[in-house]
């Protein structure tokens, strides 16, 4: 009870407890993951004290009410019994047992199916149970779409607030303000006043510029300060992109409160604020976290999912798809992102539900229509030119450049995050945010391309030049009176060259600022900054290619396609390809990336360039540095994540990895010769999560496996409830009678014994063991030789062994 | 050697042997799967006779040359040794061991990586090895695209040959013929002569009609007869759609020759012929089979894949994606189809390669451009109207109708196929094809909608009515001089009502003919017929809705959208939704179906209607009959397919399923007390594929597992090569010295002992066991209790048990 004084409250009622934020703060204060708990952690709260255990059981008994009235054999031969509540729950920072949870769910399902005939009510209950998965993802889709709409509208309004205000209706952003008064020239409408105008200065001129600059910086600081403070005070878990943690959680780890309602609220509000502050970050990654939090909260409405960690992860996978779906308006891309990048256990049923969830979310967002266009896609563009085969060379070139930029970003960002983690900097998160915001704002304002919203910049870079586009980027020497000439190829004007210089500056500024921004204690994603870096690079290369084609249209590699005056090169397409390349290099997404970009443009035609660039970028990235940003952050924080993409390349055997090592002894429980006192002493002396049960200490033939938690609960319960059980009572795991009849009555614990533990032999190669851990979702496996128990391998042992074989510090797992 | 006299030839050289077709015929003659072999089959060719074994070893030794020079510990502690060749090969109709194959590949990989430093040549070899996966899928994509182009062009030409000929250039189809002489009115161009014109009769009139009718029927019979004869004579495996068999093969089963070069050639040619014959079948399903055959053949160029059955299945998964990609011009849909419907083991690496492969194939097909449009999509349509929310009701209604039609089709088709299988009908495949073709041709010709190519009909039904569309379906009372009025809503003219009647007739004819066609001994798929049935239904419903909106535009549910004169209802969209519904009901595809349809239209906007219909159809289908057509055919043919979609719902334990049953004894080999004669007697008396090795017959503590085939090979080899080994030699599986020193020298077989067999306890619930079989790809698992061996569960036992629990005949597995 001493070490984790608030733990039990957090555990029994993870989201409603008033002390919940305090719990969170204790474990994450100042750093994303400073928890000291580990896979073998003792749960002190239930051991040693009968009162505490009883108290807890009582409370958990209420919690489990909906489930406790069935008590039949389940899972690996274990009995779920109403008299030992709390079974099937996990402690914070523990690994879940997929097999057991899935078995528990099938048990429950069978029970409901069996009762269906009994009454109409039971039939309805059965129908509700069958539908609850669909209902749950429907609800998640609806709420995610709505929340995304609110965030989009809020961020758009507050971003414009930095520049000015709509006096007649302050709640409108610039575009809506101008439109609502039928003034469609957004750039110069009279209804929208810049802060300079509000203060009576002219819009242009030095005075106006300085006032606007000041307001820009002050608003940015205000937003950033608010965002960082909210995160620090109410929900430390709301910082960052959340994707590394979501990946870890979906792989079967418990981080209580990470997907709770406070995290959801603070992350949503903080995201609006930090995006509006003009920091170099995006809202797409955090949207995944927000969607998963929504999924987690709504899953509690459906006990089938809320009470079963393995089943809950099916909902979370669907939620992640919905998150990407609303972030980009790309439902198919979202599903593939969830499948490829985020999810761990992805049965086909989940594929279908994810798709449904993603679609509903996209549909709701489209109905809210935050962007005011009909496509519900952030960067909807339509190109009308096919690409030339020769262009594959610059596209692959962009892929290589993208991979290099991505590697620079990952390495620098990791260096900085590690520095933050292990230096005093980590103790001043709000100050850090303020300094970075101030720097960003001051540097960004003078350059029009960094001043504008990053999404707007990307959209501008993706677009084709048309008559209506008056940006410098489209300052070609064209005759604008002739509509047809707008699509002819033309020499670049001075505006284009100016734009190129500004873009190059913007590239450097964005790269540097993003390195410092990603990892700060505000909600921040890096999809948008990555896309932006790539789009800038791509557009510059595209303009270069375009001018090449203009000046040398007869070159063989343009193969005559540019000899007519048509514009055979689309610089916007290069921007898109470049964006895909950098994002692919940073995240190592492949198929989902291409599909997301494809959904943005809506044309199958450009898949080949996108894929060429994404592949080149991934290969360059893999060659220069093994991990994508998410995996790197997982490793940095030491999350217990067993990556299904990495192949285990070594030749070690189970015997090399198992605990105990040669000179230690294995802690086992015998099936019928230990007393309650013996077992309590064993539990006190060792810290394992569970203990193998053997026939006898001499023979070591394996009988089964019991969990520490369940032994504790059972003994505490028996002491309290059953007369005559004392320290001298024999504990018996067999079904027969005890060998002795004298002394106190024996304590029969066969019902908590898992008689079907997964076992392997000591000669099993570790690659098979790793495969089994991944595919079967194991917490531990028992190692035998000719039927005799030799040792145990836990997931932590596996992770440590992998680190060791890769010449990394094995102790970085789970501790930091 | 007596029972399967041709088997060995087929096995050692599956595709190049001249007797290969004879082998195929023996096992499949007249029926798709009449093989009598089973999972426990004895491989007589290697037992009993030293000469035969030696002969075979010699030949296999050559085969294995590329691999035999390394000999290190691999897989479950087994040694791959050059002196016992043939290890790691599978017999026909056997199940593969995924774990072992994957382990073998990692071993090989490690060996190559280790040798990389040795010389430049080895470095190149390493690079080639690393790239070979990509090279292989690239090659598969290129060839698949090219073959698909040839098939499309051939089928189009031969379909038109039924109607007429291009005298100046007989190799052109009607469209090309007209176009090549600059006559763009395809319907009435003068260059193309119908057969009536060729024979001097007028094109119209009774005489011309009869001549055309006759030619149509005669050509159809000719093509069908040729197709059926080719299949019967050269490649019996080339019949059907092939998807059930591909699913079975990908789940880890060996059917030699199913993906061989003869099957490929005959299936391609036969497909052109049977499509041209006007039978109610499509070429999309067989395209998957063709692509997989290409993948299989090309994988032999890369020993990494060709020599490893588990790795080869990665290539086959990518090939299946390419097959769907070229069938529909939908690369993303193809990948999802492979993931959702076909594949079993689908690591992320395969996802990425599948995508690449599908894209290359689609790209090549687009370059060949068989359809003469720039979209490379069979039914490219673009709608310009959004759908109204109210329309969801008819869309869901279409889904329900689609599910009902699909169920009728599946049940009737299964009934007919079962009748064919167990009656004399199965013995006359060519006659059956001719009768069905004659009936189809005679019935189809009079109705213009059944006379035309099914793909053309679908395209017509999907299309919007525009000025250029002169079909009856578009006979609205519109003022065609006003371009704008063409998109106004209008009352249907008499042509539309006539078309509706003809379409209804076509629906019935197509449904009945498809029931009899699918399963005949010609290459035939059912994507196109299913789509067609749904498109007809949908178009009729759509026209109904349209006329409703015309007559009652003010109804509340049209919510004012139809009050303007714009056409608010698109009948073509209904056709598409209906098509998706029937196809979804027949195949139970979900996400991949929606994505394929989405890629056809290219608009995210219509995903919601498509999904609503697909979901309704799937649920109705699931409620009326459990299985989709592919799974039903798998069950009908008794393929050993362990479906990962079905959840195991029962509560049985491993002890209930394992062999031997209570009153039988378990065949085991002891580790150091059996002689060569004992073991040979055991092998002769029992038929198991492998034997557990135990410490002693009394204790039954498990040591490991040996395969029958390897024991046989090892003993035969030892008798031939090692001096002194005779029947009295002790066989020793331990590493120590034998307990006795007298008598002949012992035979040490530790190197073929798998010391890491997967074991479970007898109390393990079968749901966990089924899960392990699926996820780990096991062939068998050993059942223990407290370390003692109790029995064995093979994949066949699991499949039989599932059948038994579902109240089906357990003996239908693998036998029929």
């Amino acid at each position: 009870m001493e070490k984790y004084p608030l733990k039990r409250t957090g555990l029994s009622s993870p989201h409603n407890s008033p002390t919940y934020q305090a719990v969170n703060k204790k474990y994450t204060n100042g750093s994303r993951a400073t928890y000291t708990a580990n896979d073998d952690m003792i749960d002190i709260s239930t051991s040693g004290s009968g009162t505490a255990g009883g108290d807890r059981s009582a409370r958990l008994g209420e919690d489990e009410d909906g489930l406790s009235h069935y008590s039949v054999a389940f899972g690996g031969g274990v009995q779920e019994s109403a008299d030992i509540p709390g079974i099937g729950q996990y402690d914070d920072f523990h690994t879940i047992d997929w097999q057991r949870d899935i078995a528990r769910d099938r048990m429950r399902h069978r029970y409901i199916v069996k009762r269906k005939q009994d009454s109409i009510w039971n039939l309805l209950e059965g129908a509700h149970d069958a539908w609850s998965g669909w209902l749950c993802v429907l609800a998640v889709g609806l709420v995610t779409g709505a929340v995304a709409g609110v965030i989009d509208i809020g961020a758009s309004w507050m971003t414009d607030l930095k520049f000015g205000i709509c006096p007649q209706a302050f709640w409108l952003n610039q575009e809506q303000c101008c439109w609502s008064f039928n003034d469609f020239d957004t750039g110069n409408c009279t209804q929208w006043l810049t802060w300079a105008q509000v203060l009576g200065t002219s819009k242009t001129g030095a005075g106006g510029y300085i006032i606007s600059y000041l307001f820009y910086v002050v608003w940015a600081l205000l937003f950033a300060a608010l965002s960082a403070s909210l995160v620090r005070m109410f929900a430390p878990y709301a910082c960052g992109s959340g994707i590394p943690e979501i990946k870890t959680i979906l792989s079967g780890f418990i981080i209580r409160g990470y997907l709770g309602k406070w995290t959801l609220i603070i992350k949503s509000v903080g995201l609006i604020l930090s995006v509006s502050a003009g920091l170099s970050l995006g809202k797409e990654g955090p949207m995944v976290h927000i969607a998963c939090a929504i999924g987690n909260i709504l899953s509690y409405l459906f006990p089938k999912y809320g009470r079963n960690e393995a089943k809950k992860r099916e909902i979370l996978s669907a939620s992640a798809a919905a998150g990407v779906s609303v972030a980009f308006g790309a439902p198919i891309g979202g599903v593939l992102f969830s499948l490829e990048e985020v999810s761990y256990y992805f049965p086909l049923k989940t594929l279908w539900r994810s798709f449904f969830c993603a679609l509903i979310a996209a549909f709701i967002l489209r109905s809210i229509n935050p962007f005011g266009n009909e496509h519900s896609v952030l960067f909807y563009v339509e190109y009308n030119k096919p690409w030339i085969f020769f262009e594959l060379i610059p596209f692959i070139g962009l892929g290589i450049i993208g991979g290099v930029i991505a590697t620079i970003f990952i390495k620098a960002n990791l260096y900085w995050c590690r520095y933050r983690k292990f230096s005093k900097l980590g103790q001043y998160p709000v100050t850090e945010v303020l300094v970075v915001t101030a720097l960003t704002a001051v540097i960004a304002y003078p350059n029009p391309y960094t001043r504008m919203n990053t999404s707007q910049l990307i959209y501008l870079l993706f677009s084709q030049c048309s008559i209506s586009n008056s940006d410098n980027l489209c300052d070609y020497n064209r005759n604008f009176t002739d509509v047809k000439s707008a699509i002819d190829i033309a020499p670049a004007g001075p505006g284009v060259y100016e734009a190129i210089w500004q873009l190059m500056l913007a590239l450097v500024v964005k790269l540097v600022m993003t390195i410092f921004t990603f990892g700060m204690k505000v909600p921040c994603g890096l999809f948008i900054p990555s896309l932006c870096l790539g789009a800038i690079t791509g557009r510059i290369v595209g303009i270069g290619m375009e001018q090449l084609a203009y000046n040398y249209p007869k070159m063989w590699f343009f193969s005559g396609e540019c000899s007519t005056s048509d514009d055979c090169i689309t610089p916007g397409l290069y921007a898109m390809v470049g964006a895909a390349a950098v994002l692919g290099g940073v995240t190592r997404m492949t198929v989902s990336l291409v599909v997301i970009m494809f959904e943005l443009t809506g044309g199958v035609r450009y898949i080949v360039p996108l894929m060429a660039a994404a592949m080149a970028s991934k290969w360059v990235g893999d060659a220069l540095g093994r991990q994508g940003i998410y995996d790197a952050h997982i490793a940095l924080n030491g999350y217990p994540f067993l990556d299904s993409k990495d192949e285990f390349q070594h030749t070690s055997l189970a015997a090399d990895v198992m605990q105990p090592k040669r000179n230690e002894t294995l802690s086992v429980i015998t099936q019928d010769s230990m007393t309650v006192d013996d077992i309590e002493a064993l539990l006190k002396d060792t810290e394992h999560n569970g203990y193998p049960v053997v026939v006898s200490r001499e023979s070591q033939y394996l009988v089964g496996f019991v969990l520490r938690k369940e032994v504790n609960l059972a003994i505490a319960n028996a002491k309290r409830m059953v007369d005559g059980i004392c320290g001298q009572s024999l504990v018996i795991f067999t079904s027969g009678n005890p060998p002795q009849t004298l002394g106190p009555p024996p304590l029969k614990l066969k019902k908590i014994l898992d008689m079907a533990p997964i076992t392997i032999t000591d000669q099993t190669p570790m690659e098979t063991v790793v495969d089994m851990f991944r595919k079967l979702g194991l917490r531990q496996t028992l190692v035998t030789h000719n039927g005799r128990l030799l040792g145990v391998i836990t997931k932590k042992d596996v992770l440590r062994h992998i680190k060791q074989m890769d010449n990394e510090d094995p102790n970085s797992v789970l501790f930091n």
Side-chain angles (χ1 to χ4, degrees), chain A residues 71-83:
Chain A
S71 147
V72 256
F74 87 100
V78 179
Q79 313 272 329
E80 175 151 34
S81 53
D83 49 333

Side-chain angles (χ1 to χ4, degrees), chain A residues 94-382:
Chain A
H94 272 214
T95 301
I96 71 169
D97 186 336
W98 292 86
Q99 289 293 321
R100 206 178 156 109
D101 275 10
I102 295 288
R104 214 157 56 91
D105 179 65
R106 289 202 192 132
M107 197 64 238
R108 194 194 51 74
H109 179 70
R110 259 180 236 124
Y111 176 76
I112 285 177
V113 169
K114 217 179 68 190
R115 284 209 320 178
K116 242 188 202 169
Q117 277 82 42
D118 295 0
S119 73
I120 301 261
W121 174 249
N122 287 336
L123 191 71
L124 282 177
E125 208 175 73
H128 173 73
D129 184 72
W131 276 92
S132 63
W134 288 100
L135 277 182
C136 188
V137 292
L138 173 68
V140 171
L142 291 173
V143 177
T144 305
V147 169
V150 170
I151 290 174
D152 283 344
I153 291 170
S156 154
W157 175 68
M158 288 178 73
T159 301
D160 284 352
L161 201 63
K162 285 189 301 185
F163 297 98
I165 196 164
C166 191
Q168 275 95 334
F170 71 91
W171 59 88
L172 296 182
N173 70 12
Q174 185 174 6
E175 195 176 54
Q176 289 160 340
C177 179
C178 297
W179 283 27
S180 66
F181 297 100
N182 292 320
D183 192 348
F184 292 102
D185 182 4
T186 309
N188 295 304
C189 80
T190 50
Q191 303 300 327
W192 175 262
L193 299 183
T194 63
W195 293 112
Q197 287 170 309
V198 172
L199 294 184
T201 344
S202 85
K203 202 172 160 185
T204 49
Y209 186 86
I210 289 169
I211 288 174
S212 298
Y213 200 157
L214 267 180
F215 264 93
Y216 182 90
V217 175
V218 170
W219 277 116
L221 283 172
L222 196 69
F223 293 155
L226 201 54
S227 176
S229 311
L230 282 175
V231 168
R232 186 170 167 80
M233 283 191 291
F234 296 106
Y237 279 151
C239 69
S241 92
I243 292 182
E245 287 81 6
I246 301 278
K247 282 183 78 165
T248 310
I249 289 174
L250 283 177
S251 81
F253 195 60
I254 305 276
I255 308 181
R256 290 208 185 278
Y258 198 83
L259 301 173
K261 69 165 184 271
W262 278 101
T263 309
L264 170 62
I265 294 168
I266 298 302
K267 188 130 195 179
S268 305
V269 175
L271 186 59
I272 297 176
L273 288 165
S274 57
V275 167
S276 311
L279 281 163
S280 185
L281 49 80
K283 59 183 158 30
E284 281 61 26
M287 212 72 114
V288 174
H289 184 181
I290 288 171
C292 284
I294 292 170
N296 177 55
I297 292 167
L298 290 176
S299 76
Y300 284 102
L301 298 178
F302 304 90
K304 180 177 175 181
Y305 296 98
R307 289 179 194 276
N308 190 313
E309 292 292 339
K311 294 292 284 179
K312 189 194 279 175
R313 274 150 184 79
E314 293 179 10
I315 300 292
L316 296 183
S317 287
S319 308
V324 175
S325 169
V326 291
F328 291 103
I332 302 173
V335 173
L336 288 173
F337 179 78
S338 177
L339 169 67
E340 186 184 355
E341 190 63 33
V342 181
S343 296
Y344 196 79
Y345 167 67
F346 204 89
L348 276 175
K349 207 169 51 186
T350 306
L351 181 72
W352 188 216
R353 289 202 186 136
S354 298
F355 193 59
F356 179 68
C357 187
L359 208 66
I360 293 290
F363 188 70
I364 294 297
L365 183 63
R366 193 189 130 203
S367 310
I368 297 174
N369 196 5
F371 308 116
N373 64 38
E374 61 167 312
H375 294 297
S376 82
V377 163
L378 206 44
F379 321 109
Y380 187 83
V381 273
E382 226 168 307

